[in-house]
Amino acid sequence: MEVKVVLLTGGSSGIGAATAHLLADAGMKVYAASRRGTIDRPQDGIVPVALDVNDAAGTEALVARIVQAEGRLDAVICNAGNGIFGPVEGTLESEARAQFETTYFGSLKSIQACLPVFRKQGFGRIITITSVMAVLQLPFQGFYSSAKAALLSLSQSLSMELQDSGIQCCSILPGDVATGFTAARKINQAGSDPTSPYKERMERNLRKIEHDELGGMSPEVIGREILKQLRRKRMSVRVIPRLDYKLVGLLVRILPSRTALFMISRLYN
Ligand SMILES: NC(=O)c1ccc[n+]([C@@H]2O[C@H](COP(=O)([O-])OP(=O)(O)OC[C@H]3O[C@@H](n4cnc5c(N)ncnc54)[C@H](OP(=O)(O)O)[C@@H]3O)[C@@H](O)[C@H]2O)c1
């Protein structure tokens, strides 16, 4: 079956907005959900919708509205997200939970709202936007990394559970992408503590990751990968876009953990 109708979360900017335009250009109807409920540039085929992915009832109502209007829903792209920065030591439990709320539980709510529709149709595509940081951990971003790793694990377990259902899962693990993500990053209380024993390393680290993100790839690179996966008969289970990040992902997999962490630490710590 061809993908014609898509629910995309985090559609108001960055990777989500770029993806919405590419999918609409390819003839798909895209419901682009975000808290703002806007899109950078209005386009036929894109329906901006106001939704906080943490709102389960709102997510279910949106899925019902799409099915009523279109008679189908072929794919969900769980892209909404943000990052927090700070050391494990001193981070409040509420701050750690907030990172998991949108990244992990927000995506889970979207997936669970769509699954009954997909099952009834015998067809559906679930794409999660995780991060290369799901497989490569950096200091002071432990909560972001672990929330993305949890989402990647969920996607892979689900892909096995759904075998023979006609429903497929794919997780896309972007490296650095130049978007509003950098400005939206929350530096938590422990991350901005002037008396922190980590102060200098955190400042150096933050400068490096912001520099890398702002000079990163364009969000269209990720959008094109999403479009490619949606058009494939069989989606990949996990994809790291761009050769340089693929190689980094491969190195982290094959090197002994101590060696991998030593190398990452030399660059980011
Ligand atoms: N940029 C990178 O380097 C990078 C690398 C790897 C992975 N990623 C992942 O890519 C995804 C997209 O990020 P981006 O880089 O495109 O950043 P972005 O430009 O800041 O976009 C984030 C999107 O998520 C939406 N959003 C945030 N919280 C939401 C909520 N509770 N409910 C609904 N929508 C929400 C935002 O819209 P509203 O504010 O209007 O709600 C916005 O549309 C994220 O999951 C991020 O973790 C980014």
Side-chain angles (χ1 to χ4, degrees), residues 31 61-73 117:
Y31 285 78
L62 174 58
V63 169
R65 176 186 148 193
I66 297 171
V67 174
Q68 190 172 27
E70 310 293 338
R72 61 194 286 168
L73 173 58
V117 177

Side-chain angles (χ1 to χ4, degrees), residues 76-118:
V76 61
I77 303 166
C78 302
N79 166 71
N82 53 18
I84 66 163
F85 178 94
V88 173
E89 184 178 355
T91 288
L92 303 175
E93 187 181 322
S94 57
E95 292 171 326
R97 282 184 186 277
Q99 176 71 89
F100 273 77
E101 278 306 331
T102 299
T103 304
Y104 180 82
F105 289 104
S107 300
L108 176 64
K109 287 182 179 82
S110 301
I111 293 167
Q112 286 188 328
C114 293
L115 272 172
V117 177
F118 293 166

Side-chain angles (χ1 to χ4, degrees), residues 9-16 33-38 51-54 78-83 102 129-132 144 148 173-182 184 213 219:
T9 70
S12 60
S13 67
I15 293 171
S34 65
R35 290 166 303 180
R36 274 170 280 181
T38 55
L51 175 78
D52 186 326
V53 292
N54 297 302
C78 302
N79 166 71
N82 53 18
T102 299
I129 306 304
T130 55
S131 169
V132 77
Y144 180 71
K148 290 295 192 183
L173 289 67
D176 293 312
V177 188
T179 66
F181 183 83
T182 309
E213 284 166 5

